[in-house]
């Protein structure tokens, strides 16, 4: 089967062999109420309250939302607003820790006897897409009775440079990943489970092939180390041959994709009742003195992780949440570790300088690299001409902003930024068109 396009990026998986180490309890945690796609969680505590590790801080609001729990024991200093790295303002709970890590006495394993019990447990766990997407896991697993799901695809690709936190999950918590995969298969009645792992992780492939040997319809797909292999639509196509159409979801083609660390967190909750309150985070980059994988409470200021890793060996000119291909620049090292934070990277001046773009030479490299078979050069031209109708025809909304086009562009065009802005332009155009159609329909109804 022909595979989707992509680019060969340097792996730089320097911390893959490093067993994660625990960060000492931080003095302060900042826990945003929105660490997921959907509505922010609603706080159920107030300033001055003493909270314990695992205690509910905020309940989910609506279907697409996720509860938030305290990652530490201590005192709530205040409820405030904070500006996230993407510029969005969200409510947050700030807790001064007592260094005791006293566990909430209400923590106990859930009783699961049905599909409904399982979905409730997933929702109560607070687990979202831990590969970076942040989509609430319970929403992803809520499948209509008449829907046909043929595959559970476990995403162990981890295709971004530097990041190895998922690799450590697959090596250190493979039993939890397997347990959760079997639970999902059982309660959602899914015939096949496939673990998609890039071939640059041979130890992970070996572990899961061994675990799948005695399991019926569970297998490992060893995939070429080609970025962005871990993208949902790319993973689905490269394993099953199925294409997810524009505006559709994996469920529409009979697939559910779950990140391996998300599954491990679900199994942990099922076994212990402890919700998602900590993350394994890869701390790396050319400016970091001692790169390593760190297990840290959610809400820990990023600067604490860098300090724990020996600080900087040279001035950090750029810091990122996530990897260098799709990561978001950190505007402030006081920003916290989020549920979806799988890495924090810091780079020196040499690795932080953006090249000066030159004129597009129409070479088509961006087209040949795009995993979604788009034409970024045509999209850029339509954006420059302010032609949203062309952006619509070019299917810019299929773009997953992976950065393959910009990475391969010899002219160093800022194509990812153009893609983001083009989507915004198209969204405004479609909203205007919809409003005009509604006004026209209202006038026709009056006649």
């Amino acid at each position: 089967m022909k595979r989707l396009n992509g680019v060969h990026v340097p792996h730089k998986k320097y911390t893959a062999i490093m067993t994660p180490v625990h960060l000492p309890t931080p003095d302060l945690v900042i826990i945003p109420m929105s660490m997921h796609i959907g509505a922010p969680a609603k706080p159920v505590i107030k300033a001055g309250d003493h909270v314990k590790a695992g205690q509910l801080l905020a309940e989910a609001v609506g279907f697409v939302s996720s509860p938030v729990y305290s990652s530490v024991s201590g005192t709530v200093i205040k409820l405030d607003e904070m500006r996230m790295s993407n510029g969005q303002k969200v409510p947050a709970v700030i807790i001064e820790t007592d260094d005791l890590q006293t566990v909430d006495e209400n923590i106990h394993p859930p009783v699961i006897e049905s599909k409904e019990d399982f979905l409730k447990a997933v929702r109560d766990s607070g687990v979202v897409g831990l590969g970076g997407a942040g989509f609430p896991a319970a929403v992803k697993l809520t499948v209509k009775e008449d829907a046909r799901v043929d595959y559970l695809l476990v995403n162990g690709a981890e295709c971004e440079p530097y990041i190895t936190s998922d690799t450590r999950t697959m090596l250190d918590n493979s039993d939890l990943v397997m347990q959760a995969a079997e639970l999902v298969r059982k309660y959602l009645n899914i015939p096949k489970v496939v673990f998609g792992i890039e071939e640059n992780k041979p130890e992970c492939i070996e572990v899961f092939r061994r675990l799948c040997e005695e399991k019926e319809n569970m297998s490992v797909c060893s995939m070429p180390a080609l970025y962005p292999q871990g993208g949902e639509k790319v993973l689905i196509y490269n394993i099953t041959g199925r294409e997810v159409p524009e505006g559709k979801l994996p469920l529409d083609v009979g697939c559910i994709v779950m990140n391996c660390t998300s599954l491990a967190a679900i199994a942990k909750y099922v076994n212990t009742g402890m919700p998602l309150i900590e993350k394994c985070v890869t701390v790396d980059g050319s400016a970091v003195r001692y790169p390593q994988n760190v297990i840290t409470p959610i809400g820990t200021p990023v600067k604490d992780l860098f300090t724990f890793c020996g600080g900087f060996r040279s001035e950090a000119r750029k810091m990122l949440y996530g990897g260098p291909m799709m990561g978001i620049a950190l505007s402030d090292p006081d920003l916290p570790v989020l549920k979806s934070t799988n890495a924090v990277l810091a780079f020196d001046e040499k690795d932080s300088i953006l090249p000066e773009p030159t004129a597009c030479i129409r070479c088509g490299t961006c087209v040949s690299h795009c995993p979604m078979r788009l034409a970024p050069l045509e999209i850029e031209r339509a954006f420059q001409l302010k032609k949203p109708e062309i952006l619509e025809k070019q299917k810019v909304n299929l773009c997953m902003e992976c950065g393959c086009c910009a990475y391969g562009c010899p002219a160093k065009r800022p194509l990812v930024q153009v893609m983001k802005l083009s989507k915004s332009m198209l969204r405004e155009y479609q909203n205007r068109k919809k409003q005009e159609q509604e006004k026209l329909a209202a006038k026709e109804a009056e006649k």
Side-chain angles (χ1 to χ4, degrees), residues 168-188:
R168 293 316 313 181
T169 293
M170 289 186 280
L171 294 176
D172 304 330
N173 296 299
S174 55
D175 54 334
L176 294 178
V177 178
M178 285 294 290
Q179 179 189 351
E182 290 186 280
L183 286 170
V184 172
R185 179 169 74 166
K186 174 183 175 182
Y187 287 110
L188 273 65

Side-chain angles (χ1 to χ4, degrees), residues 138-197:
V139 177
K140 180 176 283 193
L141 296 177
T142 300
V143 180
K144 294 179 181 178
E145 292 298 330
D146 59 347
R148 177 182 172 181
V149 183
D150 303 312
Y151 290 94
L152 168 63
L153 305 180
V154 181
N155 192 343
E158 197 169 49
C159 54
E160 282 251 20
Y162 293 99
I163 307 175
T164 64
S165 48
D166 280 352
T167 297
R168 293 316 313 181
T169 293
M170 289 186 280
L171 294 176
D172 304 330
N173 296 299
S174 55
D175 54 334
L176 294 178
V177 178
M178 285 294 290
Q179 179 189 351
E182 290 186 280
L183 286 170
V184 172
R185 179 169 74 166
K186 174 183 175 182
Y187 287 110
L188 273 65
N189 194 27
I190 301 175
K192 297 179 182 178
V193 179
V194 181
F195 296 85
I197 307 173

Side-chain angles (χ1 to χ4, degrees), residues 379-421:
I379 292 171
E380 182 185 40
R381 181 168 174 77
F383 173 74
Q384 291 169 340
L385 294 173
K386 295 183 171 55
K387 297 284 188 180
E389 64 277 9
I390 298 179
L391 294 175
E392 193 169 38
K393 289 180 182 178
Q394 290 289 336
K395 297 187 179 296
V396 67
N397 281 333
L398 276 175
C399 173
M400 57 186 192
E401 300 167 19
C402 65
C404 287
C405 53
Y407 183 83
C409 177
K412 306 304 178 186
R413 306 292 300 167
L415 294 172
V416 179
Q417 292 90 327
V418 168
M419 291 293 181
K420 289 176 182 283
L421 293 169

